[in-house]
Amino acid sequence: KNALSLNLQFKQSTTINDGLTRPEDYLAFIGSKMHTYGHMLISLREAIDRQKTPETFWLGLFKKLYHPENSRQRRLINSLSHKNIPKPLPEDLAEELYGKELYLSVSQLETFYADPYSHFLIYGLRLKERQIQELTPIESGIFYHDALDLISRQIVSLDRDLVSISKEELHHVTQDIFELLLESNKYRLAQSSHRMNFIFNQLSKTVENMVWSMIHQAKRTKYRVNKTELVFGQLGQEKGITGLSLPLNNNRKLHLRGKVDRIDTFQEGKQLYAGIVDYKSSDTTFNYQSIYYGLMLQMITYLDTVITFSEDIFDQKAKGIGAFYSTIKNHYVDLKKIGNKNLEEELLKNYKLDGL
C-alpha cells in the first residue's frame, strides 16, 4: 500500500534475486535503524531500476520501518521516484535573481552558453567556493594583468618609444613594478612562505619575458600600445566608457561590461587604426566554431566596443585592424632541435599573436 501511494514502479511478474537464500542471510544487513534503512533503500532502488519486485524481506521491512509523518524518511523514500529534470525559472523569480536589466561581462555570457546551470549557480544564486590560502590560476592571471598594465603605463610615462628600451632598462622598470606589487596587501600571499615568494618571482620573470617580446614585436610594426585595462560599462566600482547594449524580449536590455587588456593604435594621415590584444595565461587559438556557439565572444566583443566608441576613447573615429590573443607563459626551445638557428629568434616565435 505504501509503495503504491508513492508510485514506486515495481513490476509484479518477476522478483529480483539478490542471492540470499536463507532468512538468516539477511541479518548481515541489520544494524542501527538508519544503517538498515540505507540497505533497504539500495535494494528498492535496484528493483526500480531493473523493473522487478524486491524480495519479500525488503518489502516487509519497508512496511515496518516507513512512517510517512517522519519528514526525513519521507525525503529518502521520495528520492526513489524523483526525476531530476531541470525546469525553466519562472519569469518573476528570474527577475528577482538577475534584475530587470541585465548587466553582464562577456565572460559571464560565455559561461551561460558553455553551461547554463553553472551560470545559474554562480551569478543567480551567487555561490562561491570556500577560499583557501593558495595561488589559483585566476589570481596568477590577475597578477599578470596588473603587472603588464603598470609596466606599460610606466614606459609611456617615460615618453620613450618602446623599441628604444634596452633589456637592462626593461629589467630596472619591471623590478620596480614587481616590488611595488609584492609589497601591497593585494599580494601579501607572496610573503607568506618561501615557496610562495619563489612562485611569484617566477611569475615576475614570465611578465618580464612577455614585455621583452612586445619590444621586439614593436620593431616589426608601426602599432604602439595606446591604452591598457580600459573599462567599459559599470565594472564594480569602476565606471568606464559606454558599453554595448543589446535588446532582449519584453522591452528589456542586456548591458555588456568588461575590461580591455590592451589597445594598440597607428595613425596613417588623418585615419586612426586600432586593434585589441587579450592576454591569456594558457594557449588560446581563435576558433570560428566557438564564436558561433557563444563560447569565444570576449575578444570580438571588445574590438566591437572599441571601434563603436572610438571617438570617446581617442577623440576621433578609428577603424579596426584586428583582435589578437597573447599568451603569457615562459616558453622554451629544445637546443638540440634548433641547430645553428638564432636562439632569440626561436624564442620570439612562441610569442606570435593569434587572432582575427
Side-chain angles (χ1 to χ4, degrees):
K1 181 180 178 182
N2 284 331
L4 290 175
S5 66
L6 290 164
N7 297 317
L8 301 183
Q9 302 299 313
F10 298 136
K11 193 174 180 179
Q12 300 297 325
S13 57
T14 56
T15 301
I16 190 170
N17 182 8
D18 54 16
L20 304 176
T21 57
R22 299 175 302 167
E24 53 267 29
D25 292 338
Y26 290 96
L27 294 178
F29 297 94
I30 304 300
S32 66
K33 189 172 183 178
M34 290 310 299
H35 179 81
T36 307
Y37 216 92
H39 282 297
M40 180 190 73
L41 285 173
I42 293 172
S43 298
L44 296 180
R45 176 77 266 167
E46 184 181 3
I48 292 172
D49 291 343
R50 296 170 65 174
Q51 294 187 340
K52 294 185 177 182
T53 304
E55 287 285 352
T56 306
F57 172 81
W58 297 114
L59 285 176
L61 193 64
F62 171 73
K63 294 176 182 178
K64 186 72 175 176
L65 293 180
Y66 180 56
H67 300 289
E69 65 277 4
N70 187 307
S71 60
R72 185 179 185 185
Q73 289 188 22
R74 196 164 59 249
R75 285 198 304 272
L76 290 171
I77 294 299
N78 285 340
S79 69
L80 296 173
S81 57
H82 176 71
K83 294 182 179 180
N84 190 21
I85 301 175
K87 299 178 182 179
L89 290 175
E91 188 173 332
D92 56 342
L93 180 57
E95 188 173 310
E96 284 187 50
L97 289 173
Y98 300 104
K100 192 169 184 177
E101 299 280 311
L102 295 182
Y103 294 86
L104 301 178
S105 67
V106 183
S107 60
Q108 286 175 300
L109 281 181
E110 292 176 341
T111 301
F112 176 80
Y113 284 114
D115 184 358
Y117 189 64
S118 291
H119 185 278
F120 166 68
L121 294 179
I122 298 171
Y123 304 112
L125 300 184
R126 297 176 176 82
L127 301 183
K128 295 182 180 179
E129 292 187 25
R130 180 170 60 90
Q131 290 187 338
I132 55 178
Q133 191 177 28
E134 66 175 6
L135 185 67
T136 65
I138 293 177
E139 290 168 330
S140 298
I142 293 173
F143 177 80
Y144 287 147
H145 282 75
D146 286 348
L148 286 169
D149 177 39
L150 291 175
I151 291 171
S152 297
R153 290 174 186 269
Q154 180 66 17
I155 292 175
V156 170
S157 70
L158 295 175
D159 197 22
R160 295 270 302 278
D161 189 2
L162 193 61
V163 298
S164 68
I165 304 294
S166 67
K167 201 161 188 176
E168 291 73 23
E169 288 177 301
L170 173 63
H171 180 72
H172 289 307
V173 170
T174 54
Q175 286 305 306
D176 289 341
I177 298 299
F178 296 145
E179 288 178 13
L180 179 68
L181 286 174
L182 298 181
E183 289 175 0
S184 66
N185 287 330
K186 186 176 183 178
Y187 296 106
R188 60 181 180 275
L189 180 63
Q191 309 302 327
S192 63
S193 67
H194 292 298
R195 175 177 174 272
M196 279 297 151
N197 187 260
F198 171 79
I199 290 174
F200 273 95
N201 281 331
Q202 292 300 110
L203 297 182
S204 301
K205 290 179 182 178
T206 301
V207 173
E208 185 171 345
N209 289 336
M210 179 69 183
V211 181
W212 169 76
S213 74
M214 289 168 56
I215 291 174
H216 281 269
Q217 288 169 355
K219 293 177 181 179
R220 292 163 172 80
T221 178
K222 296 179 180 179
Y223 294 100
R224 294 292 181 267
V225 177
N226 187 301
K227 304 284 183 184
T228 60
E229 302 297 313
L230 177 76
V231 174
F232 62 89
Q234 184 71 45
L235 191 63
Q237 300 298 320
E238 294 183 81
K239 175 66 174 176
I241 65 166
T242 306
L244 296 173
S245 294
L246 306 174
L248 300 175
N249 295 332
N250 302 324
N251 296 319
R252 296 177 181 176
K253 285 187 177 182
L254 166 61
H255 304 280
L256 293 176
R257 64 189 181 205
K259 185 181 289 187
V260 184
D261 295 338
R262 191 176 102 207
I263 304 175
D264 292 351
T265 60
F266 167 61
Q267 186 81 35
E268 179 69 35
K270 294 183 178 181
Q271 182 61 61
L272 180 71
Y273 296 90
I276 67 108
V277 177
D278 192 25
Y279 297 132
K280 296 294 182 184
S281 54
S282 59
D283 291 326
T284 307
T285 303
F286 187 79
N287 186 290
Y288 285 99
Q289 187 174 14
S290 296
I291 293 174
Y292 179 81
Y293 288 107
L295 306 178
M296 192 176 277
L297 300 173
Q298 191 174 48
M299 191 170 67
I300 58 173
T301 304
Y302 286 0
L303 178 61
D304 191 11
T305 301
V306 169
I307 300 306
T308 301
F309 301 103
S310 57
E311 291 180 283
D312 294 334
I313 304 171
F314 312 111
D315 295 324
Q316 67 178 109
K317 192 67 178 176
K319 289 184 177 180
I321 57 170
F324 307 97
Y325 291 117
S326 181
T327 305
I328 309 173
K329 59 184 286 190
N330 268 331
H331 295 281
Y332 302 94
V333 294
D334 190 338
L335 295 178
K336 296 179 181 178
K337 294 181 179 180
I338 65 172
N340 296 324
K341 296 178 182 177
N342 184 281
L343 175 59
E344 186 176 83
E345 289 182 359
E346 293 304 307
L347 279 171
L348 283 171
K349 289 179 181 179
N350 294 304
Y351 291 96
K352 184 178 179 181
L353 303 180
D354 183 277
L356 174 67

